[in-house]
Amino acid sequence: MRLTKRTTSRTAAVVAVVLVATSAPAGAAPAAAGPPGEPPKTPTAHGYGGAVSTVDPTATAVGLDVLRRGGNAVDAAVAAAAMLGVTEPFSAGIGGGGFLVYYDAGSRRVHTIDGRESAPASMREDSFVDPATGTAYPFQQARVSGLSVGVPGTLLTWHEALRRWGSRPLSAALAPAAEVAERGFPVDATFRQQVADNAAAFAQFDATRKLYLPGGQPPAVGSTLRNRDLADTYRQIARRGIGTFYAGPIGADLVTAVRRPPVAADPAAPWQFPILPGAMTRADLAGYQLRFPAPTRSDYRGYQVYGMSTPSSGGVAVGEALNILERFDLSELTVPEALHHYLEASALAYADRNRYVADGTSRRVLAELLDDRYAAERACRLDPDRAAPKPVPPGDPDGRYGDCATGAAGADGNPGQSTTNLTVADRWGNVVEYTLTIEQTGGNAMVVPGRGFLLNNELTDFSFVQTPGAAPDPNLPAPGKRPRSSMSPTIVLDDGRPFLALGTPGGATIITTVLQILVNRIDLGMTLPEAMAAPRASQRNSTAPQAEPAFVSAYGGALGVFGHPAFTATAELGAATAIEFTGRHGFVASAEPVRRGGGAAGVVRPARR
Ligand code: GLU
């Protein structure tokens, strides 16, 4: 059943808050004004013939170009992702992994690719415990090391997506990106800032320093950044195939960098910790395999919401929260009341995610977490008038339903700000929703010498140790295991046809941002661009939920009345991309107007408006 949409007076109130949130902060350049030489950025595009939304205008432009030349959504998504490996190298690239969700218009089926990095065969449960102290390594020590590098799945994801559903070879998808890597692209303020934030780590490695710290400084905004090594790497892969990466010279160099981190002899200031080697082998790389899990599904107010299953917790957590929220008619509530429900449902789903969801969670438990009867059990913990004390305990997916049984409380997740997301739809109605990452912004800070790409630090998404006295942690490291992710590429169908596709970076906040955009769009009556721009909050079962400043000023007081703890102000949550299908082959492509410098949405044939 789809519930009727909301009242006009509430629309006006929400839109007013959106307008505040979307105006650029004082002194900041508007999203459309990139450095000279960069294609223009538009956060919203209406039209026909196909649509692309990414964080980067060059990647969006290449995706649209592929669509214009008759390529399909998969061809365009891989070409855009390859471009992001060049122009957004601190968030994405062939040194990392990700999750791709695909809607196939011909069969009307949703497929997924799990290209998550996997732990090498040598990984042990205590690999992140310092033998000298018996305690976990500090995060930054684990991050900037060979130890944190998971076996990358991104290149194989591109190859396999094209083989299954694309119409062009990988070489065609890599060519424009190689060209831009060689010719260079203009550095924008976000790129420069990402280097500045990572300067100390980048300075530890000659290859990283040479590429991203010219003259010892972050590159100036408007300067041209060239990456000839990456152009060569892409071209070698295009010529020789992905074997040159997984079982050839590029892979050999990658493994050498992991095992003997290429530390500069003379860093301006040495890293704060010893830089530990990893133990990945060429056999680990040659043995990497994609997985193709069935998507998660939850039905929400008449829509079918498809997401990514384990090792991502995204699909399960978004789906469980939606199932809980469906027990309440949000459209009848005031905005603060609806947001109270959103925050409480997030906390309940997060408690379960932390306690139960990781690589290897049984299908039975996953199915129960997404069962409406389980949601009913959990929803009885959501008091419409009062925020529950945090952390709330997880439920008990024991196969029985009925009461409000609970277990022991779980921990909060890691709120990252790296990673990138892209959304593509073609004229035939195929849709790609793809989140890719190298984990932290800048990954583990090591560019593979001579190859031009950064390595991931994805294995820091494992829990480093079992918390003493707590319930068994499902996310401890093990050989070949994939660390739990929060990535939530999501495709929403309406009667089996695409309605909305969306995703975002943001570490553990990914889940709440995707959920909040869905609630904004489906329950609060916002248009997609309004739903994207609206200020965000993230309650991950914590006594210190996060919220953007505009959210705190708009709703902090009203939510305090429900007993929500004070929000920790966070400049930005996420950097989403989305596409809505308007019927009669129309699209609304939507990117961030302001966050992370603004994104780039485009359509093949703009509508006359
Ligand atoms: N590594 C994180 C995850 O898989 C994503 C990092 C981020 O978005 O900041 O959930």
Side-chain angles (χ1 to χ4, degrees), residues 99 116 312 353 414-420 435 437-441 458 461 483-487 504-508 510 596:
F99 297 100
R116 182 68 160 173
S312 184
R353 174 256 193 210
N414 160 39
Q417 276 301 335
S418 52
T419 309
T420 193
T435 315
T437 187
I438 55 173
E439 216 298 287
Q440 291 288 291
T441 304
E458 212 71 51
D461 275 357
R484 174 172 58 208
S485 172
S486 300
M487 292 190 269
T504 183
I510 289 172
R596 234 194 254 182

Side-chain angles (χ1 to χ4, degrees), residues 348-371:
L348 289 163
Y350 241 96
D352 288 336
R353 174 256 193 210
N354 289 340
R355 173 67 186 84
Y356 301 114
V357 186
D359 193 12
T361 303
S362 74
R363 295 206 345 215
R364 186 196 63 73
V365 168
L366 294 176
E368 184 162 354
L369 293 176
L370 285 171
D371 194 301

